[in-house]
Amino acid sequence: MDKNQDTSTVIRLLKYLGQYKMVLLISIFFTLIVTIIQVLTPVMLGTILNHIQVSIGQGNALDMDYLMRIVGILILMYIVLAVSDIIKERSLVYLSQTLIRDLREEVSEKIRRIPLSYFDQQSTGDLISRATNDIAKIGNNIQVSVSQIFNSLLMVIGILVMMFFISWELALVFLITVPLNFLAVRFITNNTRSYFAQKSRRLGKMVGYVEENFTGTDLIKAFNYIETSNEEFGEINTDLYDVSWRASFMSGVLLPIMTFIGNLAYVLLAIAGSLFVIAQRVLIGDVLAFIQYAQNIRRPLEVIAEMANTLQETIASSNRVFEFLDAPEEVEDRSHVVESPIETIVFDAISFAYEAGKPVIEDLNLTVERNDTIAIVGHTGAGKSTLINLILRYYDVTSGEIRLNGVDIQTMSRENLRKFFGVVLQDPWLIQGSIRDNIRYGKEQATDEDIVEAAKQAQAHHFISALPNGYDTDINEEGTNISQGQRQLITIARAFVSDPEILILDEATSSVDTRTEQLIQKGMANLMDGRTNFVIAHRLSTIVDADMILVMADGKIVEQGSHEELLEIEGTYADLYNSQFKV
């Protein structure tokens, strides 16, 4: 991983933390208090032992008042230590959870600004992993590291100062082992950096694969793909295991190494301290305090080493989140605002390609008047749904213009453009909630009466009323507790309750049976009245009454006209029609 990128990521994280300056300052303040107390308590304990040693050595009685004052101060210090520790931890929990919440909100808002073309190139599971696992790691690691790194650094500095204050000779003995600590930390962190980056990427791949398999369990079983699926999962799981154990091993091996170096320092100090006491260069209490400091400084050094690994994991997760947040956004031009009603929709020599050099639509021209019903037919891959995606600006045309009331839609905000449209897609999409919530999704201000009326018009009221909880029936996460056709009826009712000026039906009846299709057609005849309608259909029976039928092939309109006119031509449309209605 690029070290310059790591540095910029750390700087960016610090800027994020700057948004929570007050909470951060509170936690740092109480961390400072905790550290000062932890540094001073060994000296206080050493003072008690020194007083006892000197008094016994000189044959004097112990000054109990002095000793009790020291003990009282120690008790007070431990109470302040406990209270400060609680406040510090509470502040850091608030900081980390607020950071997690805000980052997820930022990711959620970013999703709304990213073009669909970005998601075409990304794994859904990997994006989910970035928004959940990676952000959680950032927040939780910061909660731990802000406190422990700051506390540990202060502890190390404070302890070293006190060591030199007690005995500079013993301090030099201890410092012999410090370069060993530095070399161990540097070696481990250099090796773990790439492992943690690989771990985050492979975890995203794992989440994507699991999400894909959970949603497609029925198909996996239907096509006897279980064994192959297990093998693929095993490969992904093994890859994740391989890099995870390497990252965990390299980070875990640091603690034993640091413990060994700490024990080495402890032995050296015990030997040197004994010699200095014999030579009467230091008191026993000072040696005791010094050995306590040597023990106390081990944990801060270990924490700093552990946090070095934690920092690598945090940087790896942050890079993935920031990479998503930095993704190019949809270009938004708000120079024009179009008002209702929409009198004309003009496609002026538009061309479009998902990939450069592979056009899906070429030089298409079309003018649609208000209240026209335009049916679009053609073989799979002809460009029918792509045309709808361009109208809604899910994608922008490569060349040419689409104009509403003479205004290029690329000079309108997407919000302004899409408020005129109601959409029913081929694959019914429902939110997790009640049927009432799903229909109201089309219009937040819709009353219960509006919802019932829309359901009646969509021919959905009858089956909804027959459910145990009626309109309050909850739809599960995958919408599998109602049939595919019923799901489609609900999405149609949702579009109807929004009362759009322009209605787009993309294979809207492809998931219902013939009888339900006929019922829907009766309701649609009324609901489509007074609107401009675009209807994409494979079942040509649904569009015989359209004002104009467009036949698309290879991204071009090859035929257009009414149902009767196109039959007379005996071209592509006639072939499609005859293939469906003649044996």
Side-chain angles (χ1 to χ4, degrees):
M1 186 178 293
D2 188 358
K3 291 186 178 181
N4 291 331
Q5 184 183 9
D6 288 353
T7 303
S8 62
T9 298
V10 171
I11 293 173
R12 189 166 177 177
L13 274 175
L14 291 175
K15 289 181 179 178
Y16 268 94
L17 291 176
Q19 301 174 33
Y20 318 101
K21 192 178 300 181
M22 185 56 65
V23 180
L24 193 59
L25 289 175
I26 290 173
S27 64
I28 290 175
F29 173 74
F30 283 100
T31 299
L32 181 61
I33 292 177
V34 168
T35 305
I36 291 173
I37 293 174
Q38 289 174 334
V39 169
L40 292 179
T41 48
V43 175
M44 303 294 290
L45 291 170
T47 301
I48 294 175
L49 189 57
N50 285 341
H51 176 73
I52 295 173
Q53 179 188 4
V54 171
S55 297
I56 293 175
Q58 295 178 353
N60 298 329
L62 297 177
D63 188 344
M64 297 305 298
D65 290 337
Y66 174 74
L67 292 177
M68 292 306 297
R69 282 198 303 271
I70 299 297
V71 171
I73 293 173
L74 275 172
I75 293 174
L76 180 62
M77 290 172 68
Y78 284 132
I79 293 174
V80 174
L81 174 65
V83 173
S84 299
D85 216 9
I86 291 172
I87 296 175
K88 176 198 70 174
E89 290 301 323
R90 179 69 181 85
S91 301
L92 287 171
V93 168
Y94 175 81
L95 171 65
S96 67
Q97 295 305 312
T98 304
L99 176 63
I100 290 173
R101 180 200 65 192
D102 292 348
L103 272 175
R104 284 182 176 156
E105 286 181 354
E106 191 170 344
V107 167
S108 178
E109 292 172 1
K110 181 71 176 185
I111 289 173
R112 297 180 178 89
R113 300 193 301 269
I114 291 180
L116 287 179
S117 56
Y118 178 85
F119 297 101
D120 292 341
Q121 302 165 7
Q122 302 293 327
S123 162
T124 301
D126 183 63
L127 294 178
I128 292 173
S129 181
R130 297 188 196 207
T132 53
N133 297 334
D134 287 313
I135 289 179
K137 282 181 185 176
I138 294 171
N140 295 333
N141 288 352
I142 284 178
Q143 175 185 337
V144 174
S145 58
V146 167
S147 169
Q148 294 196 7
I149 288 179
F150 187 72
N151 175 265
S152 299
L153 287 173
L154 289 177
M155 281 286 291
V156 169
I157 295 171
I159 288 174
L160 288 175
V161 170
M162 295 305 297
M163 281 181 167
F164 276 98
F165 176 76
I166 294 171
S167 170
W168 65 268
E169 294 102 328
L170 288 176
L172 291 178
V173 171
F174 173 78
L175 288 178
I176 293 174
T177 61
V178 172
L180 296 177
N181 286 314
F182 173 76
L183 292 174
V185 171
R186 183 172 182 180
F187 173 77
I188 298 297
T189 54
N190 285 343
N191 282 276
T192 55
R193 181 184 293 111
S194 63
Y195 290 141
F196 280 118
Q198 293 178 54
K199 181 180 176 181
S200 291
R201 289 195 298 270
R202 294 184 187 183
L203 181 59
K205 186 177 181 180
M206 167 69 78
V207 173
Y209 189 83
V210 170
E211 186 265 344
E212 180 184 86
N213 276 259
F214 278 175
T215 57
T217 300
D218 51 348
L219 292 176
I220 291 173
K221 292 180 178 180
F223 287 96
N224 290 321
Y225 199 76
I226 297 175
E227 186 175 345
T228 304
S229 178
N230 287 339
E231 290 176 359
E232 291 176 351
F233 176 82
E235 291 177 2
I236 296 173
N237 196 28
T238 300
D239 287 342
L240 178 59
Y241 161 79
D242 181 62
V243 73
S244 295
W245 85 258
R246 290 176 185 274
S248 299
F249 173 78
M250 291 303 295
S251 60
V253 77
L254 186 59
L255 183 58
I257 293 175
M258 298 290 289
T259 301
F260 169 77
I261 297 173
N263 289 333
L264 179 62
Y266 182 79
V267 171
L268 293 176
L269 287 173
I271 295 172
S274 300
L275 295 175
F276 289 164
V277 169
I278 294 173
Q280 297 185 347
R281 298 177 66 176
V282 294
L283 297 172
I284 293 177
D286 293 331
V287 175
L288 175 64
F290 210 97
I291 291 177
Q292 273 194 293
Y293 280 130
Q295 291 289 348
N296 290 345
I297 202 173
R298 283 174 57 182
R299 183 54 189 162
L301 290 175
E302 290 168 359
V303 166
I304 292 173
E306 291 171 359
M307 290 303 102
N309 288 320
T310 301
L311 180 61
Q312 296 303 322
E313 186 178 43
T314 305
I315 290 173
S317 294
S318 300
N319 282 331
R320 285 167 48 78
V321 173
F322 292 154
E323 179 185 341
F324 177 75
L325 292 176
D326 293 337
E329 299 180 2
E330 292 178 320
V331 178
E332 194 77 328
D333 185 349
R334 298 173 177 266
S335 56
H336 291 92
V337 175
V338 175
E339 301 292 343
S340 183
I342 302 301
E343 299 291 347
T344 60
I345 304 174
V346 176
F347 299 81
D348 185 3
I350 66 166
S351 296
F352 174 75
Y354 290 104
E355 297 181 30
K358 297 180 180 180
V360 179
I361 292 178
E362 289 186 275
D363 196 30
L364 187 147
N365 293 278
L366 175 67
T367 298
V368 180
E369 302 291 341
R370 184 184 180 192
N371 298 338
D372 281 352
T373 293
I374 307 299
I376 308 172
V377 301
H379 294 291
T380 300
K384 305 184 299 298
S385 296
T386 298
L387 187 63
I388 299 303
N389 290 337
L390 295 177
I391 298 174
L392 293 169
R393 279 199 75 191
Y394 293 153
Y395 301 90
D396 282 329
V397 296
T398 306
S399 62
E401 290 183 357
I402 300 176
R403 296 190 292 270
L404 266 61
N405 290 352
V407 176
D408 185 351
I409 63 172
Q410 293 195 47
T411 65
M412 304 166 54
S413 70
R414 287 175 173 81
E415 182 181 1
N416 179 205
L417 170 68
R418 292 168 186 166
K419 74 177 183 180
F420 300 113
F421 290 87
V423 182
V424 179
L425 299 175
Q426 181 176 359
D427 296 320
W429 178 80
L430 300 178
I431 62 172
Q432 192 171 357
S434 68
I435 291 176
R436 190 188 310 278
D437 293 336
N438 273 275
I439 297 176
R440 184 174 277 125
Y441 196 88
K443 184 180 180 181
E444 291 184 12
Q445 301 79 18
T447 64
D448 289 345
E449 291 75 16
D450 294 333
I451 291 171
V452 172
E453 181 60 27
K456 288 180 178 178
Q457 295 290 354
Q459 307 300 311
H461 177 70
H462 177 73
F463 92 80
I464 295 174
S465 300
L467 294 172
N469 296 319
Y471 284 83
D472 293 318
T473 300
D474 283 330
I475 297 174
N476 62 26
E477 186 174 359
E478 299 298 329
T480 54
N481 56 336
I482 58 176
S483 72
Q484 181 82 354
Q486 291 171 336
R487 293 172 63 192
Q488 189 65 283
L489 290 173
I490 292 173
T491 64
I492 293 172
R494 180 173 62 198
F496 294 156
V497 80
S498 67
D499 192 23
E501 189 170 336
I502 305 169
L503 187 63
I504 294 176
L505 304 172
D506 186 354
E507 308 285 1
T509 60
S510 63
S511 299
V512 298
D513 56 59
T514 303
R515 181 177 177 277
T516 305
E517 178 185 341
Q518 291 172 350
L519 293 174
I520 292 175
Q521 294 304 316
K522 293 177 182 178
M524 290 173 63
N526 293 326
L527 290 164
M528 292 170 67
D529 185 45
R531 292 186 176 89
T532 304
N533 305 291
F534 289 87
V535 182
I536 298 177
H538 283 155
R539 295 186 182 181
L540 302 189
S541 61
T542 62
I543 49 92
V544 294
D545 295 325
D547 296 309
M548 180 180 294
I549 299 173
L550 306 178
V551 183
M552 294 191 67
D554 299 325
K556 297 180 180 180
I557 298 175
V558 295
E559 295 175 9
Q560 66 182 65
S562 66
H563 172 69
E564 292 77 10
E565 290 171 343
L566 292 177
L567 286 180
E568 290 178 3
I569 296 174
E570 296 184 354
T572 303
Y573 178 80
D575 291 340
L576 288 170
Y577 183 81
N578 292 331
S579 67
Q580 291 187 20
F581 297 100
K582 289 186 180 181
V583 180

